[in-house]
Amino acid sequence: MTKVNEELALKAAELVRLTHEAKIPVMVLFEGVAASGKSRLANELLLALDAKYTQFYATKTPTPEDLRMPFLFPYWTNLPARGEVTLYFRSWYASLLDYEYHGFKKDIYKDYQVLQQEIEGFEKLLINDGYEIIKFHVEISEDKRQEHIEKTKENPLTRWKAEEFEHAIPKELYENGMKELISNTADISPWTTINYTERTQAISEMYEVIIDRLEKALKKYKKKKKPEVDGKFTADFTTDLFVDTEDDMSKKDYKEQLPALQNRMREIQYALYEQKVPLILVYEGMDAAGKGGNIKRVREALDPTGYEVNAISAPTETELAHPYLWRFAVDLPRTGHIEIFDRSWYGRVLVERVEGFASTTEWQRAYEEIKEFEKSLITEGAIIIKFFLVLDKDEQLKRFEDREKTPDKQWKITDEDWRNREKWDIYLEASKDMIEKTSTDDAPWVIVPANNKKAARIKALKTIIGHCEKRLNI
Amino acid sequence: MTKVNEELALKAAELVRLTHEAKIPVMVLFEGVAASGKSRLANELLLALDAKYTQFYATKTPTPEDLRMPFLFPYWTNLPARGEVTLYFRSWYASLLDYEYHGFKKDIYKDYQVLQQEIEGFEKLLINDGYEIIKFHVEISEDKRQEHIEKTKENPLTRWKAEEFEHAIPKELYENGMKELISNTADISPWTTINYTERTQAISEMYEVIIDRLEKALKKYKKKKKPEVDGKFTADFTTDLFVDTEDDMSKKDYKEQLPALQNRMREIQYALYEQKVPLILVYEGMDAAGKGGNIKRVREALDPTGYEVNAISAPTETELAHPYLWRFAVDLPRTGHIEIFDRSWYGRVLVERVEGFASTTEWQRAYEEIKEFEKSLITEGAIIIKFFLVLDKDEQLKRFEDREKTPDKQWKITDEDWRNREKWDIYLEASKDMIEKTSTDDAPWVIVPANNKKAARIKALKTIIGHCEKRLNI
């Protein structure tokens, strides 16, 4: 290593130490054809950084099991936390080209244009959240490339590696694909093409880009003002959206209808499994509206090996160190499975807006981010149904008091519930905005009157069954 | 559901709420032949518990990718944290029988006796750590079983499920295997056999066992005294184990030897990959002994897609909510990969003993636990080499002062390093005990004199290469 490069490496390492302290997450992508030198270049950087907060992730051709999860799933699960840095040896770009080359999930992605949109949405989301994404495309002269391949072939211990090069996606396909992707995505976060033919020069260039980008990121960080935190609520807010809280249902009707619906729900589960369709159910609504009990009736007859309930509590330390969508994106159902979210990513525009946990910009941006996120799930073939359970204020009071009086239910009621109740009106406004801004044809909000728990349960079951029957054609 | 069972369910749910609050982790296993009713029984329990801290894990036949990880890996990664409860729909027991039936990794497990030992070690470790393991074996009359299978076959939507029953491990093999496993492992944590022929009765029995076990666990928890925390250090401790701190190595020799060793190291990496052997390197030693720099020389020429450095910091909230081995057990290399631990599970008997983070019983027990853990890695085919880098006290002082004086190195030295230095003698004693108690033929400690960094690096490289050449026969 030359003196100059050694100094650049030290400088880069120091800057990454500072981004680590400033809790800025950094992603460095290395793309390039096989034997282009991207592994040797990535290794230079890897060796310069502190292993305590540095990860290295190598993209692989997906296994059949991997294909049961959304396209971006491996990148969500291998996302650096705030203050960490992850080096990607081939990234979502190579993965897109790999999917296309092998025709993976062609039936749902068609011409794979949709994956490029997802990549754009993913990067935008991360950048908005403070991620620094540095993208390298490594090139090499064909002579040098062949020289490297030959050398690898000569050594009996590395010969198999050379054979791998031959199985990779053909060079021209990769290069043409990348050229297009680079030109289409450079405006989101810039690409740098590095020619590895001259190794020393290539290393300098890499470090210079990294130093430049991190210096800018740190400068921006230092200049950053405390963001405005304002839920932007209206005085004397009223809405007609939630007036309908009462559906009628007698105990007799309920007992008659429930078993058949639950049996049908189980058949739906099997059909989902057979047709490999994931089902995502989202439950939001007023405190004590009966979300848990409603979910219980939906899942009661299901095969427990094929569904999961994700009941959202306050985020952990690790969850807080990632974008708010992260803890949901890493817990999505695989094909044919059901995931029920008891509260969800909508917390961003509900509790986080109300309590000021998200800045004004953050919760305002979230509507679009969430729509993009759900769109990507739909692209993957998922059915999404979102329930909003509506209770009126008097009924909530009755239920709170009942919980306090009943020994079995006391654990269900906390001071926080009472505090939230005082914010009834602003929760209403946040809920109304959410429903209006995020109801789409493919992921509709279903408002469920919930003063009568039985009616609410039957309505949820019928809604799920109806949507699924239509989609599954059964 | 009968009134009695409803009340039992409420009681069990209340107790799980209490174990949740007391941070007692609970595991409930459901074993049984296909169509025995274990899924319906597990579902009863699942529905009764709060989804906020309840998980459901279904054991599956491993994919080829799964087989690249140790046998217990899926159970380590799906272990409940303190205060959580996980229901296992088939467990490590069914998995053992499944491995045996399919002959998975027969070359390394031979008659699969070794897996039973691993299961025993796993359960003992968890129980010692406060886990409550409740094991059910579900039986059913053959008539009822056939009835269930027929019903599943009749419905076109569930017919494929019935076909699955036919592909499962044959009933007799499973039953005979389980009979033996149950009798061999009942003394670690008891089994309860439940006959599902009478559903109502079966549910009662399940709840009664759970209630009994959790009540006892809570009673034990309440009676628990604050454990003794004592590092048991000797006054005026001395040892000859670390007197050898000086190996000679000129700059010239170093520069001559290093590149060839690093090239060989890269060839070793490829051979490991080809022969599917995982390599685990553990680095411990005095502060400033040069672990990071040593690791850097070992990894410098490696292909970054095939190794990982796990540099251990203070545990996170999530890590603290699990047994101390957990964060290592979920980060093991898959076959053919290299994992380098910069500090390791030995923290339990070093820093945790010295600082009083582990109780006397805990650190004293850890030597055996760690040996079991490493033995299981070796069973899986891993090569383990453990380096202890030895510095003398004067040389450490020199390095500390040098770090303070050099702007580039200041981040490396903290108040904690100085505090640790004051505890030099007790760290020596902890280190000596560790080395004496955990050096085994298959996972030896290699003491590396580290006053001369160059000599230490060459020694580490030569040691790794020597071990690997012998094992890989290259």
Side-chain angles (χ1 to χ4, degrees):
Chain A
M1 176 111 81
T2 64
K3 194 79 194 152
V4 172
N5 281 351
E6 257 175 47
E7 276 166 19
L8 288 171
L10 275 176
K11 178 79 184 153
E14 195 203 322
L15 288 167
V16 174
R17 217 150 38 235
L18 295 175
T19 55
H20 169 67
E21 280 165 21
K23 300 223 175 293
I24 299 170
V26 179
M27 301 163 92
V28 188
L29 277 55
F30 292 89
E31 286 288 353
V33 292
S36 61
K38 64 182 177 308
S39 146
R40 284 158 286 167
L41 196 60
N43 202 31
E44 281 300 321
L45 180 59
L46 182 60
L47 289 167
L49 305 181
D50 191 332
K52 274 212 166 59
Y53 41 77
T54 308
Q55 284 93 42
F56 187 91
Y57 178 76
T59 293
K60 288 176 301 179
T61 291
T63 65
E65 201 56 32
D66 295 334
L67 291 171
R68 299 187 60 183
M69 297 304 293
F71 172 72
L72 285 173
F73 185 72
Y75 304 105
W76 275 109
T77 52
N78 288 286
L79 198 65
R82 303 193 198 290
E84 293 183 349
V85 49
T86 303
L87 277 48
Y88 295 87
F89 174 77
R90 288 185 300 233
S91 66
W92 38 94
Y93 291 99
S95 198
L96 188 165
L97 296 174
D98 197 33
Y99 268 64
E100 198 172 358
Y101 175 61
H102 289 102
F104 292 137
K105 302 209 231 178
K106 194 175 173 49
D107 51 330
I108 60 173
Y109 299 140
K110 309 284 184 280
D111 60 359
Y112 297 93
Q113 199 55 39
V114 69
L115 290 187
Q116 191 190 302
Q117 287 161 23
E118 285 202 18
I119 285 173
E120 290 174 17
F122 182 59
E123 290 190 9
K124 272 185 206 152
L125 179 107
L126 295 175
I127 291 166
N128 277 334
D129 203 45
Y131 278 71
E132 201 57 37
I133 308 178
I134 304 173
K135 303 190 282 195
F136 292 111
H137 176 234
V138 185
E139 289 182 341
I140 196 166
S141 73
E142 191 53 26
D143 285 359
K144 276 270 180 188
R145 193 174 99 91
Q146 287 307 331
E147 199 181 289
H148 178 62
I149 293 176
E150 285 312 314
K151 225 172 106 189
T152 309
K153 271 187 192 162
E154 274 164 25
N155 185 335
L157 277 172
T158 58
R159 193 173 297 141
W160 62 274
K161 177 104 184 155
E163 280 158 21
E164 278 201 338
F165 297 148
E166 285 153 24
H167 295 302
I169 161 171
K171 183 170 173 266
E172 267 194 28
L173 259 184
Y174 176 86
E175 280 185 337
N176 291 337
M178 276 309 292
K179 199 178 285 176
E180 207 187 313
L181 285 170
I182 288 175
S183 93
N184 292 351
T185 63
D187 57 329
I188 303 170
S189 62
W191 281 93
T192 305
T193 295
I194 289 186
N195 194 309
Y196 194 78
T197 313
E198 291 297 331
R199 174 177 160 81
T200 303
Q201 177 62 21
I203 292 172
S204 293
E205 278 177 38
M206 172 186 72
Y207 278 129
E208 276 158 13
V209 169
I210 288 171
I211 290 167
D212 177 57
R213 289 289 298 276
L214 297 188
E215 278 177 345
K216 281 183 187 147
L218 285 160
K219 211 172 279 172
K220 211 172 114 195
Y221 168 80
K222 274 175 205 146
K223 278 202 303 195
K224 211 170 75 180
K225 293 194 203 86
K226 228 176 130 72
E228 183 202 36
V229 178
D230 185 350
K232 304 266 179 195
F233 293 105
T234 317
D236 305 317
F237 172 79
T238 55
T239 174
D240 292 340
L241 196 60
F242 306 119
V243 289
D244 201 4
T245 55
E246 197 73 43
D247 255 2
D248 223 21
M249 166 97 18
S250 71
K251 199 168 176 177
K252 183 166 163 287
D253 284 351
Y254 177 69
K255 288 220 162 175
E256 262 172 33
Q257 291 184 37
L258 187 68
L261 290 171
Q262 289 185 326
N263 270 340
R264 186 59 179 163
M265 194 61 222
R266 188 174 171 104
E267 291 180 345
I268 296 276
Q269 181 185 28
Y270 288 134
L272 288 165
Y273 191 81
E274 247 199 330
Q275 297 190 30
K276 307 244 171 289
V277 173
L279 170 63
I280 297 169
L281 302 175
V282 171
Y283 276 80
E284 295 285 353
M286 280 84 172
D287 285 337
K291 293 189 293 296
N294 199 303
I295 290 170
K296 186 169 173 179
R297 281 12 174 246
V298 169
R299 67 199 274 225
E300 199 151 23
L302 296 184
D303 184 329
T305 61
Y307 80 87
E308 208 175 84
V309 179
N310 190 336
I312 303 306
S313 314
T316 65
E317 182 189 311
T318 310
E319 286 164 351
L320 284 172
H322 288 87
Y324 71 99
L325 282 174
W326 179 77
R327 65 161 154 169
F328 308 103
V330 299
D331 201 18
L332 293 170
R334 53 185 187 285
T335 54
H337 280 243
I338 301 171
E339 185 87 27
I340 308 176
F341 290 95
D342 184 353
R343 302 203 185 272
S344 68
W345 41 91
Y346 284 101
R348 187 67 158 187
V349 294
L350 296 173
V351 58
E352 291 196 43
R353 174 183 174 190
V354 169
E355 300 290 344
F357 299 150
S359 71
T360 315
T361 332
E362 282 173 340
W363 67 260
Q364 286 180 339
R365 191 174 64 214
Y367 300 109
E368 275 312 306
E369 288 169 346
I370 286 174
K371 275 201 282 186
E372 287 285 317
F373 179 63
E374 292 182 359
K375 204 174 109 190
S376 81
L377 302 178
I378 290 157
T379 298
E380 295 289 339
I383 301 175
I384 306 183
I385 307 168
K386 304 179 295 198
F387 292 114
F388 191 85
L389 270 56
V390 185
L391 207 61
D392 69 36
K393 212 172 165 181
D394 293 344
E395 178 65 23
Q396 188 188 59
L397 183 64
K398 236 176 78 192
R399 291 190 189 175
F400 276 16
E401 286 172 348
D402 176 55
R403 286 180 177 184
E404 288 199 324
K405 275 184 294 199
T406 318
D408 271 356
K409 293 183 185 170
Q410 276 160 5
W411 63 275
K412 280 190 174 189
I413 179 100
T414 63
D415 291 349
E416 209 188 316
D417 294 318
W418 288 106
R419 276 197 301 275
N420 288 344
R421 183 173 161 80
E422 282 168 26
K423 296 176 185 158
W424 181 272
D425 285 351
I426 59 177
Y427 265 108
L428 272 199
E429 185 171 359
S431 303
K432 175 184 163 282
D433 287 348
M434 170 187 85
I435 288 171
E436 285 182 353
K437 286 175 198 279
T438 63
S439 240
T440 62
D441 288 347
D442 290 323
W445 275 106
V446 180
I447 296 184
V448 182
N451 273 9
N452 182 323
K453 286 182 187 175
K454 295 182 188 66
R457 293 167 188 166
I458 298 296
K459 174 160 180 166
L461 272 162
K462 282 187 176 167
T463 306
I464 300 166
I465 292 168
H467 270 75
C468 291
E469 283 179 341
K470 211 167 120 191
R471 167 66 182 279
L472 299 166
N473 211 359
I474 54 168
Chain B
M1 176 109 81
T2 64
K3 194 80 196 153
V4 172
N5 281 352
E6 258 175 46
E7 275 166 19
L8 288 171
L10 275 177
K11 179 79 184 152
E14 195 202 321
L15 288 167
V16 174
R17 216 149 41 232
L18 295 174
T19 56
H20 170 66
E21 279 165 21
K23 299 220 175 295
I24 300 171
V26 179
M27 301 163 92
V28 188
L29 277 54
F30 292 90
E31 286 287 354
V33 292
S36 61
K38 64 181 178 307
S39 146
R40 284 159 287 168
L41 196 60
N43 201 32
E44 281 300 320
L45 180 60
L46 182 60
L47 289 167
L49 306 182
D50 191 332
K52 275 213 167 59
Y53 41 76
T54 309
Q55 284 93 43
F56 186 92
Y57 179 76
T59 292
K60 287 176 302 179
T61 291
T63 64
E65 200 56 31
D66 294 335
L67 292 171
R68 299 186 60 183
M69 297 304 293
F71 172 72
L72 286 172
F73 185 72
Y75 304 106
W76 275 109
T77 52
N78 289 285
L79 199 64
R82 302 192 199 292
E84 293 182 351
V85 49
T86 303
L87 279 47
Y88 296 86
F89 174 77
R90 288 185 299 231
S91 66
W92 38 94
Y93 291 99
S95 197
L96 188 165
L97 296 175
D98 196 34
Y99 267 66
E100 198 172 358
Y101 175 61
H102 290 101
F104 292 137
K105 303 208 229 177
K106 195 177 171 50
D107 51 328
I108 61 172
Y109 298 140
K110 309 284 184 284
D111 60 0
Y112 298 91
Q113 199 54 39
V114 69
L115 290 187
Q116 191 190 303
Q117 287 161 23
E118 284 201 20
I119 285 174
E120 291 174 18
F122 182 58
E123 289 191 8
K124 272 185 206 153
L125 179 106
L126 295 176
I127 290 165
N128 277 333
D129 204 45
Y131 278 70
E132 201 58 36
I133 307 178
I134 304 174
K135 303 189 282 195
F136 291 112
H137 177 233
V138 185
E139 289 182 340
I140 195 166
S141 73
E142 191 54 24
D143 285 358
K144 276 270 181 189
R145 192 173 100 92
Q146 287 306 331
E147 197 182 292
H148 178 64
I149 293 177
E150 286 311 315
K151 224 172 106 188
T152 309
K153 270 187 193 162
E154 273 163 26
N155 184 336
L157 276 173
T158 59
R159 192 174 297 141
W160 62 273
K161 177 103 185 157
E163 280 158 20
E164 278 202 339
F165 297 148
E166 284 152 25
H167 294 303
I169 162 171
K171 184 170 174 266
E172 268 196 25
L173 260 183
Y174 177 87
E175 280 184 337
N176 291 337
M178 276 310 292
K179 200 178 285 176
E180 207 186 313
L181 285 171
I182 287 174
S183 93
N184 292 352
T185 62
D187 58 330
I188 303 169
S189 63
W191 280 93
T192 305
T193 295
I194 289 187
N195 194 310
Y196 194 78
T197 313
E198 292 297 331
R199 174 177 160 82
T200 302
Q201 177 62 21
I203 292 172
S204 293
E205 278 178 39
M206 171 186 73
Y207 279 130
E208 276 157 12
V209 170
I210 288 171
I211 290 166
D212 177 58
R213 290 287 299 276
L214 297 188
E215 277 177 344
K216 281 184 186 145
L218 284 160
K219 211 172 277 172
K220 211 172 114 192
Y221 168 80
K222 275 174 205 147
K223 279 202 303 196
K224 212 170 76 178
K225 293 194 203 87
K226 231 178 126 72
E228 183 200 37
V229 179
D230 186 348
K232 305 265 179 196
F233 294 105
T234 318
D236 306 318
F237 172 80
T238 54
T239 173
D240 291 341
L241 197 58
F242 307 118
V243 290
D244 203 2
T245 55
E246 198 72 45
D247 254 3
D248 222 20
M249 166 91 28
S250 71
K251 200 166 177 180
K252 183 165 163 287
D253 285 350
Y254 178 68
K255 289 222 161 174
E256 262 172 31
Q257 291 184 39
L258 187 67
L261 291 170
Q262 289 185 325
N263 271 339
R264 186 59 179 162
M265 193 61 221
R266 187 172 172 105
E267 290 179 346
I268 297 274
Q269 181 186 27
Y270 289 133
L272 288 165
Y273 190 81
E274 249 199 329
Q275 297 189 32
K276 307 247 171 288
V277 173
L279 170 63
I280 296 169
L281 302 174
V282 171
Y283 276 80
E284 295 284 354
M286 280 80 171
D287 285 336
K291 294 189 292 295
N294 199 303
I295 290 170
K296 185 169 174 179
R297 278 21 174 238
V298 169
R299 66 198 276 224
E300 199 152 23
L302 297 184
D303 184 328
T305 61
Y307 79 87
E308 208 175 86
V309 179
N310 189 337
I312 302 306
S313 314
T316 64
E317 181 190 313
T318 309
E319 286 164 352
L320 285 171
H322 288 88
Y324 70 100
L325 282 174
W326 179 77
R327 64 161 156 169
F328 308 103
V330 299
D331 201 19
L332 293 170
R334 53 184 187 284
T335 55
H337 279 243
I338 301 171
E339 185 87 26
I340 307 176
F341 290 96
D342 184 351
R343 302 204 186 273
S344 68
W345 42 90
Y346 284 100
R348 186 69 158 187
V349 295
L350 296 173
V351 58
E352 291 195 43
R353 175 183 174 190
V354 169
E355 300 291 343
F357 300 149
S359 71
T360 315
T361 333
E362 282 173 339
W363 68 259
Q364 286 179 339
R365 190 174 65 213
Y367 300 111
E368 275 313 306
E369 288 169 345
I370 286 172
K371 275 201 283 186
E372 286 286 317
F373 179 64
E374 292 181 358
K375 204 174 107 190
S376 80
L377 303 178
I378 290 156
T379 299
E380 295 290 338
I383 302 174
I384 306 183
I385 307 167
K386 303 179 293 197
F387 292 114
F388 191 87
L389 271 55
V390 184
L391 208 60
D392 68 35
K393 211 172 166 181
D394 293 344
E395 178 65 22
Q396 188 188 59
L397 183 64
K398 236 175 78 192
R399 291 189 189 176
F400 276 14
E401 288 172 346
D402 176 53
R403 285 179 177 185
E404 289 198 324
K405 274 183 296 196
T406 318
D408 273 356
K409 293 183 185 168
Q410 276 160 5
W411 63 275
K412 282 190 172 186
I413 180 100
T414 63
D415 290 350
E416 207 188 317
D417 294 319
W418 287 106
R419 277 196 299 276
N420 287 344
R421 184 174 161 80
E422 282 167 25
K423 295 174 185 162
W424 181 272
D425 286 351
I426 59 177
Y427 265 108
L428 272 198
E429 185 169 0
S431 303
K432 175 184 164 282
D433 287 348
M434 169 187 85
I435 288 170
E436 285 181 354
K437 286 176 198 279
T438 62
S439 242
T440 61
D441 288 347
D442 290 322
W445 274 107
V446 180
I447 296 183
V448 182
N451 274 8
N452 182 322
K453 287 182 187 176
K454 295 182 188 65
R457 292 167 188 167
I458 297 295
K459 174 158 180 167
L461 270 163
K462 282 187 176 166
T463 306
I464 300 166
I465 292 168
H467 271 73
C468 291
E469 283 178 340
K470 211 167 122 192
R471 167 67 181 280
L472 300 167
N473 211 359
I474 54 169

